[in-house]
Amino acid sequence: MLATYLCAPNLFAEFRVNMPEGVTRISEEVYSLHMLVFWVCVVIAIIVFGLMFYAIIKHRKSKGAVAKNFHESLKVEILWTAIPALIVFALGYRAFFTLEKMYDYDDSALTVEIVGYQWKWRYSYLMDDAAKEDSAQGTQFPVSFFSNLITPESQINNTEAKGEHYLLEVDEPLVLPVGSKVRFILTSADVIHSWWVPQLSVKKDAIPGIVNEAWTLIEKPGTYRGQCTELCGKGHGFMPVVVQAVSQTEFDQWMLGKQDEARQKASLNVKTWTMGELMETGERAYNTYCAACHQANGEGLPPAFPALKNSAIALGPVEAHLDIVINGSRVNPAMAAFGAQLSAAEIAAIITYERNAWGNNTGDMVTPQDVSNFGSSQ
């Protein structure tokens, strides 16, 4: 029975006793530096413990050893001060050049803004001056999107077997070109987060009101996974990072596709919607952005995350519903402001869905124009 339990395939997480070697030159240097320090510590431990055990065994009382009384020894004092100082200096000198490279953000071919939210990431590909001019003329659209966890609730609740990338899978990975230096600008919209991808040797805090920088140059195509490593609230363990490294040609094609998506998304804010379209779009958007707190059935997790089913918000005035979704709650800080996160069409669809799902059936249909008008009146 015990043997069967201990041999269960999913009993333990992956057993790893060392850092990953990574897929960038910086990560290789960090790994090399780590191993150098490790082996220096091993040698020091062998020498120190070897001498200690030798003294204990060789000069034990049972062999007639008699302890000697002595006080300060200038030579010993100099040795045990100078030798550790030289070791620390040598390791520091070696580490200095790696740290210098890690903080060199110059000559980047691409800049990505990373903003942490509870509990997701927003990635924005920043434009150069020429691209900004094209954007102003309507010939190019900025690329910005949220990256959300897509691990099913059934796996999280242990009603279904966990997948290969449990809690490390997202709907929109950060796509980067191989062979190009990419600069990251990191901040947060709410609390402190930390963006970490071990194989890229990038770990940087995202702090509200502060802009931090990092960079990477990936040399090997592939998918690299990480997560938020700063305790940021209820959904901290559900905030993964996924980076997909592709060739420059694939990246250019992907970027064109994302710009087309941005163009189509902008057109949704001015189209004429039907109730059915709003409900269908709203259900998808609600499950992506709202269900983690308010649950897919609208019953919430009181008291922190109140129910929307039969709630005063969903059944009350539309203006109050718009206000709390766009501007957040002034009473409950757990309710974030989605006005800067979602498009007018997405907000309209979510509110329409919330007011007509789970038996609420108000019949209210909120349009993107309603959202835009409400926002402009604030």
Side-chain angles (χ1 to χ4, degrees), residues 203-282:
K203 180 183 181 296
K204 189 68 71 169
D205 284 353
I207 305 172
I210 295 177
V211 175
N212 285 328
E213 292 181 282
W215 70 273
T216 191
L217 197 164
I218 306 174
E219 299 179 336
K220 182 180 177 182
T223 300
Y224 308 108
R225 303 175 191 273
Q227 51 204 150
C228 176
T229 53
E230 191 72 44
L231 187 60
C232 57
K234 165 187 169 291
H236 165 65
F238 307 94
M239 194 173 171
V241 177
V242 179
V243 176
Q244 185 176 352
V246 299
S247 67
Q248 185 65 53
T249 300
E250 291 177 292
F251 176 78
D252 292 339
Q253 293 174 346
W254 175 85
M255 183 62 72
L256 289 174
K258 295 302 289 184
Q259 288 176 350
D260 286 339
E261 285 183 23
R263 186 180 294 106
Q264 294 170 11
K265 193 173 182 179
S267 69
L268 295 178
N269 292 331
V270 296
K271 72 165 282 188
T272 301
W273 290 77
T274 66
M275 174 64 90
E277 289 173 330
L278 285 169
M279 289 295 290
E280 182 180 354
T281 303

Side-chain angles (χ1 to χ4, degrees), residues 63-303:
K63 295 191 68 173
V66 178
K68 293 182 179 180
N69 293 320
F70 63 91
H71 294 285
E72 294 83 359
S73 169
L74 181 60
K75 291 181 180 180
V76 172
E77 294 282 354
I78 291 174
L79 282 174
W80 74 27
T81 301
I83 292 175
L86 288 172
I87 293 172
V88 171
F89 177 81
L91 294 177
Y93 181 80
R94 168 68 174 79
F96 171 80
F97 297 101
T98 299
L99 286 171
E100 186 180 35
K101 293 176 185 177
M102 291 176 71
Y103 285 88
D104 179 13
Y105 312 117
D106 296 334
D107 303 321
S108 58
L110 177 67
T111 300
V112 179
E113 180 189 57
I114 302 173
V115 182
Y117 289 81
Q118 291 178 307
W119 291 273
K120 52 188 174 288
W121 300 99
R122 188 186 74 193
Y123 301 119
S124 301
Y125 293 77
L126 303 188
M127 296 181 168
D128 56 24
D129 292 338
K132 288 179 181 177
E133 186 175 340
D134 292 340
S135 177
Q137 296 173 356
T139 58
Q140 190 171 144
F141 283 78
V143 173
S144 179
F145 57 87
F146 281 88
S147 182
N148 302 277
L149 175 74
I150 58 170
T151 295
E153 287 287 331
S154 55
Q155 292 186 17
I156 296 173
N157 296 328
N158 293 317
T159 59
E160 179 186 343
K162 292 175 170 45
E164 179 184 1
H165 301 299
Y166 175 68
L167 296 185
L168 292 175
E169 49 200 343
V170 298
D171 54 355
E172 289 269 17
L174 174 62
V175 179
L176 299 177
V178 171
S180 294
K181 186 174 183 178
V182 181
R183 174 172 168 249
F184 301 124
I185 298 176
L186 300 101
T187 189
S188 171
D190 37 52
V191 299
I192 299 177
H193 302 279
S194 188
W195 197 83
W196 176 57
V197 183
Q199 288 176 294
L200 306 186
S201 195
V202 176
K203 180 183 181 296
K204 189 68 71 169
D205 284 353
I207 305 172
I210 295 177
V211 175
N212 285 328
E213 292 181 282
W215 70 273
T216 191
L217 197 164
I218 306 174
E219 299 179 336
K220 182 180 177 182
T223 300
Y224 308 108
R225 303 175 191 273
Q227 51 204 150
C228 176
T229 53
E230 191 72 44
L231 187 60
C232 57
K234 165 187 169 291
H236 165 65
F238 307 94
M239 194 173 171
V241 177
V242 179
V243 176
Q244 185 176 352
V246 299
S247 67
Q248 185 65 53
T249 300
E250 291 177 292
F251 176 78
D252 292 339
Q253 293 174 346
W254 175 85
M255 183 62 72
L256 289 174
K258 295 302 289 184
Q259 288 176 350
D260 286 339
E261 285 183 23
R263 186 180 294 106
Q264 294 170 11
K265 193 173 182 179
S267 69
L268 295 178
N269 292 331
V270 296
K271 72 165 282 188
T272 301
W273 290 77
T274 66
M275 174 64 90
E277 289 173 330
L278 285 169
M279 289 295 290
E280 182 180 354
T281 303
E283 183 177 12
R284 288 198 304 271
Y286 175 88
N287 287 331
T288 300
Y289 300 106
C290 312
C293 295
H294 296 290
Q295 303 300 296
N297 57 12
E299 294 181 357
L301 295 169

Side-chain angles (χ1 to χ4, degrees), residues 305-326:
F305 306 104
L308 295 174
K309 180 179 180 181
N310 298 322
S311 70
I313 286 293
L315 301 178
V318 173
E319 290 74 15
H321 202 160
L322 282 164
D323 180 53
I324 198 169
V325 173
I326 293 173

Side-chain angles (χ1 to χ4, degrees), residues 7-36:
C7 293
N10 295 322
L11 179 60
F12 301 109
E14 180 183 2
F15 184 68
R16 184 186 296 274
V17 294
N18 207 346
M19 294 172 58
E21 294 189 40
V23 292
T24 66
R25 292 181 185 178
I26 287 295
S27 64
E28 292 172 357
E29 287 195 30
V30 170
Y31 182 83
S32 175
L33 179 62
H34 158 73
M35 293 307 300
L36 172 63

